[in-house]
Amino acid sequence: MNTIEEVLESKDIRITAMRLLIYKFLAEKEVAVTLSDIENAFEKADRTTLYRTVKTFEDKGIVHQIDDGTGITKYALCEKGCNCEIETDLHLHFHCINCNKTICLTDHKIPQIKVPDGFVSENVNLVVKGICDKCSS
Amino acid sequence: MNTIEEVLESKDIRITAMRLLIYKFLAEKEVAVTLSDIENAFEKADRTTLYRTVKTFEDKGIVHQIDDGTGITKYALCEKGCNCEIETDLHLHFHCINCNKTICLTDHKIPQIKVPDGFVSENVNLVVKGICDKCSS
DNA sequence: AATCAACTGCAATGGAAGTGCATTTTTAGC
DNA sequence: GCTAAAAATGCACTTCCATTGCAGTTGATT
């Protein structure tokens, strides 16, 4: 169990109050969040800072970006063992069309996809849309 | 082999000069196109008209929308047998990160995806990114 | 030909992503 | 502890795409 500070330092991310707060916010969420979500949670902070903070997290590999088809980029913390950059490790995402939440199904790996001859696959984005467990019950 | 007019009429889309031209344009393309692509091809026509025409095609089920992760919506004609609205019929898309083209791999169906208990899957979006056949050779 | 509905074009809006620059905070060297 | 450099933050602004309201035009029906 590492502290947030240790996580950030291990990834060469300098520690600031802002970053600790944003990390904490992301860690508390069980769903992927938009920049606006973060913005609403930190009304005192500037959007640019939040934007760049998340980008930094992404560059350093502790956050991954999700394109769930809503047209708005969402972000989620990479969990332990999430190697977003490795093709074979990609997990899939579930987007609830009722509550509009997007959830990482970390333990649901994407099956091997065959592509035609001559095509080279580098990355796979798989989003399942439907009704989530909370909305269907 | 149906004429474009027959296709449109069979889907309850009224025939106009604009629509015939746009349909023809889409049919000639082997890749998914953005609204801007269409706009460039028809400089005399207004963006709004093109936008609404494509939306109409989409509503009536002769065009499907593709979100390939570039952040820009792309469109492609549904081919014969493409029932976009039916989950099990969804095909996958390939986005070339070199030439930026997005191709429908119509005959590559998406494998059955299992979701956790309580989740109801209605739709699946699968985009493979990499290098296309033309760019890799 | 007239009427009504549908289509088209122009203008404007809104949302999100991204950038340049000045200011503040943090780090590191003395 | 103080100072200079580097990094982070905040503000203003821009751009791009998607979308809508409304007026004018075209097309279908009688």
Side-chain angles (χ1 to χ4, degrees):
Chain A
M1 187 61 190
N2 296 340
T3 65
I4 300 179
E5 282 89 344
E6 284 168 352
V7 173
L8 295 186
E9 277 180 346
S10 74
K11 294 285 186 176
D12 271 330
I13 301 171
R14 294 168 77 169
I15 293 166
T16 68
M18 218 46 274
R19 288 175 177 177
L20 290 173
L21 286 172
I22 295 175
Y23 188 98
K24 207 169 163 189
F25 176 76
L26 291 171
E28 281 168 359
K29 293 283 177 179
E30 76 283 9
V31 298
V33 299
T34 65
L35 198 59
S36 298
D37 291 335
I38 306 176
E39 206 181 338
N40 292 334
F42 299 95
E43 297 199 338
K44 290 179 195 159
D46 188 75
R47 242 204 33 257
T48 312
T49 304
L50 305 172
Y51 172 74
R52 286 198 261 236
T53 300
V54 175
K55 281 286 175 213
T56 302
F57 285 0
E58 199 192 340
D59 288 346
K60 301 293 186 178
I62 63 170
V63 155
H64 66 269
Q65 192 171 330
I66 302 159
D67 175 12
D68 64 6
T70 56
I72 301 167
T73 306
K74 293 187 178 173
Y75 303 92
L77 275 190
C78 299
E79 305 196 9
K80 202 181 306 225
C82 166
N83 298 310
C84 305
E85 64 277 5
I86 317 269
E87 176 184 0
T88 52
D89 190 75
L90 289 171
H91 58 270
L92 63 91
H93 296 105
F94 188 92
H95 175 68
C96 179
I97 54 178
N98 185 50
C99 65
N100 202 33
K101 285 182 182 161
T102 296
I103 302 159
C104 299
L105 299 180
T106 321
D107 45 355
H108 284 64
K109 300 304 179 194
I110 295 179
Q112 194 64 32
I113 306 292
K114 283 180 189 160
V115 290
D117 284 350
F119 288 75
V120 182
S121 157
E122 292 205 351
N123 201 321
V124 179
N125 182 36
L126 178 55
V127 178
V128 178
K129 294 183 191 180
I131 312 291
C132 75
D133 54 346
K134 280 166 193 150
C135 290
S136 69
S137 59
Chain B
M1 187 62 190
N2 295 338
T3 64
I4 300 179
E5 282 89 344
E6 284 168 353
V7 173
L8 296 185
E9 277 181 345
S10 74
K11 294 285 186 173
D12 271 330
I13 301 170
R14 297 168 74 169
I15 293 167
T16 69
M18 222 39 281
R19 289 176 177 177
L20 291 173
L21 286 172
I22 295 175
Y23 187 98
K24 208 170 163 188
F25 175 76
L26 292 172
E28 282 167 358
K29 293 280 177 182
E30 76 283 10
V31 298
V33 299
T34 65
L35 198 58
S36 296
D37 291 335
I38 305 176
E39 208 181 338
N40 292 334
F42 299 95
E43 297 199 338
K44 290 181 194 159
D46 187 76
R47 195 188 162 69
T48 313
T49 304
L50 304 172
Y51 172 75
R52 284 199 261 237
T53 300
V54 174
K55 280 287 175 212
T56 302
F57 284 0
E58 198 191 342
D59 289 345
K60 300 295 186 177
I62 62 169
V63 155
H64 65 270
Q65 192 171 330
I66 303 159
D67 175 11
D68 63 7
T70 55
I72 301 167
T73 308
K74 294 187 178 175
Y75 304 92
L77 274 190
C78 300
E79 304 196 7
K80 202 181 303 222
C82 166
N83 299 308
C84 304
E85 64 277 5
I86 318 269
E87 175 186 358
T88 52
D89 190 72
L90 288 172
H91 58 271
L92 63 92
H93 296 106
F94 188 92
H95 175 68
C96 179
I97 55 179
N98 185 49
C99 65
N100 202 32
K101 284 181 182 164
T102 296
I103 302 160
C104 299
L105 298 181
T106 321
D107 44 356
H108 284 65
K109 300 306 178 193
I110 294 179
Q112 193 65 30
I113 306 291
K114 282 180 188 159
V115 291
D117 285 350
F119 288 75
V120 181
S121 158
E122 292 205 350
N123 201 321
V124 178
N125 182 37
L126 178 56
V127 178
V128 178
K129 294 183 193 181
I131 311 290
C132 74
D133 54 345
K134 281 166 192 151
C135 290
S136 69
S137 59

